[in-house]
Amino acid sequence: MEREGRCLYEVLGVEKDASQEDIKKAFRKLALRLHPDKNPGDEDSSKFQSLQRIYAVLSDPERRKVYDQTGSLDDSEQLVGEDFDNLYNYFRNIYKEVTEDDIDGFAAGFRGSQEESEEVLQYYERFRGDMRQVFDWVMCSEEKKDAHRFRDIILAAVEEGRVKLFKPFKPWSEKVAKQPRPKNPLAKKKNTSKAEGSDQQLIAQIRGAGASRMDSAFAKLEAKYCKPGAKGKRKGKDAELTEEDFAKAQQKVQSRKEKNTVPLAEKPKKKRIGK
């Protein structure tokens, strides 16, 4: 039933993202057509058994997931449930869990090594000088940090005659040559927690500078508008205005309003020009 080159979804005649209901309908149609009662031949009987196997996998979400990942009917039947858990635990005991520290340690040993140089040249030749794809494939590489290093590796290999100078590489190489080299491209990445701490320090400095600028502004206002020795003089950013100062301020504001306000009766009338 499952011929080489055909996946289980093709056998049922459904798409890979088919719903469980669609898979069930497709199975029923094929089951009616291939049932041994309607087709007594041995070949048809084996087809029906294969159909049952396929449906048993695709109708079970866990087995279907394994099949989608492996593409194997046998694996999807065996690597589920308790058997899968036992196999997972077996390999987990052999291979420890990979942590971020493990990845950083690997990157520190790989970057700048002979293995990295060989990988750069391998993908340089495979992609015929397309450095965008080279950086996509070389492990632990960042174009911003490693462009000059990779350029040096490739140019040295070209001079030695180990690789050809491909046309797409030339404009990229010229562009990189005009850019400043990183100071220490092989330096280890900084700890994220330390970086976050420095950010918090920067925020605190900005806030402190803002507060000092505000105090300076208050001091200038005091020097301009407050007489030396006045009772209500501001002594600090938390000093309160006295009732006496508040009353004086109200009188000043009121007097300014009265000066700037002209009663309607006293406003000069416009002269009319006679005809």
Side-chain angles (χ1 to χ4, degrees), residues 174-198:
E174 293 172 357
K175 181 181 177 181
V176 172
K178 296 177 182 178
Q179 298 173 353
R181 285 179 174 267
K183 292 182 180 179
N184 191 2
L186 296 178
K188 292 183 179 180
K189 292 183 179 180
K190 293 182 179 180
N191 194 330
T192 306
S193 60
K194 291 182 180 179
E196 290 177 353
S198 62

Side-chain angles (χ1 to χ4, degrees), residues 45-242:
S45 177
S46 62
K47 287 182 179 180
F48 184 77
Q49 292 175 359
S50 298
L51 178 63
Q52 287 180 311
R53 286 184 63 195
I54 293 172
Y55 181 68
V57 169
L58 297 185
S59 62
D60 184 283
E62 188 175 355
R63 291 184 178 183
R64 183 179 178 181
K65 183 179 180 180
V66 174
Y67 174 76
D68 289 341
Q69 293 174 343
T70 64
S72 170
L73 177 60
D74 292 336
D75 288 345
S76 59
E77 290 176 328
Q78 297 172 7
L79 299 181
V80 290
E82 186 179 353
D83 293 336
F84 176 78
D85 294 337
N86 292 337
L87 186 63
Y88 175 84
N89 293 330
Y90 170 75
F91 282 104
R92 174 56 65 207
N93 291 331
I94 296 177
Y95 304 104
K96 70 172 185 176
E97 184 177 359
V98 178
T99 64
E100 290 186 9
D101 291 337
D102 295 330
I103 296 173
D104 292 340
F106 171 81
F110 177 78
R111 299 180 74 248
S113 66
Q114 181 63 30
E115 184 181 0
E116 182 197 43
S117 299
E118 293 173 356
E119 193 165 293
V120 169
L121 296 177
Q122 174 190 347
Y123 292 120
Y124 167 78
E125 287 191 303
R126 175 185 294 185
F127 299 115
R128 303 184 68 81
D130 185 347
M131 296 304 295
R132 180 182 60 81
Q133 295 194 66
V134 171
F135 277 100
D136 286 342
W137 281 80
V138 175
M139 293 186 296
C140 309
S141 64
E142 297 180 28
E143 188 169 2
K144 187 177 181 180
K145 289 184 177 180
D146 303 320
H148 285 86
R149 293 197 310 109
F150 285 16
R151 177 177 178 270
D152 294 342
I153 293 171
I154 294 168
L155 289 178
V158 170
E159 290 180 4
E160 294 171 2
R162 290 190 288 156
V163 296
K164 296 180 180 179
L165 184 61
F166 292 106
K167 188 175 180 180
F169 174 77
K170 293 181 181 179
W172 179 86
S173 177
E174 293 172 357
K175 181 181 177 181
V176 172
K178 296 177 182 178
Q179 298 173 353
R181 285 179 174 267
K183 292 182 180 179
N184 191 2
L186 296 178
K188 292 183 179 180
K189 292 183 179 180
K190 293 182 179 180
N191 194 330
T192 306
S193 60
K194 291 182 180 179
E196 290 177 353
S198 62
D199 290 343
Q200 295 298 328
Q201 291 175 1
L202 180 60
I203 292 171
Q205 290 174 0
I206 293 172
R207 287 176 176 171
S212 63
R213 284 196 297 269
M214 185 64 71
D215 289 341
S216 176
F218 280 126
K220 289 179 181 178
L221 290 173
E222 281 182 344
K224 186 174 181 180
Y225 296 107
C226 297
K227 294 180 180 180
K231 293 181 180 179
K233 183 178 178 181
R234 179 183 175 89
K235 296 181 180 180
K237 64 180 181 179
D238 295 327
E240 294 182 357
L241 191 67
T242 63

Side-chain angles (χ1 to χ4, degrees), residues 15-33:
E15 299 294 331
K16 289 186 178 181
D17 58 351
S19 66
Q20 291 295 329
E21 187 63 27
D22 291 336
I23 290 174
K24 184 185 292 185
K25 290 179 181 178
F27 166 72
R28 287 176 178 174
K29 288 181 181 179
L30 285 175
L32 289 173
R33 194 176 70 187

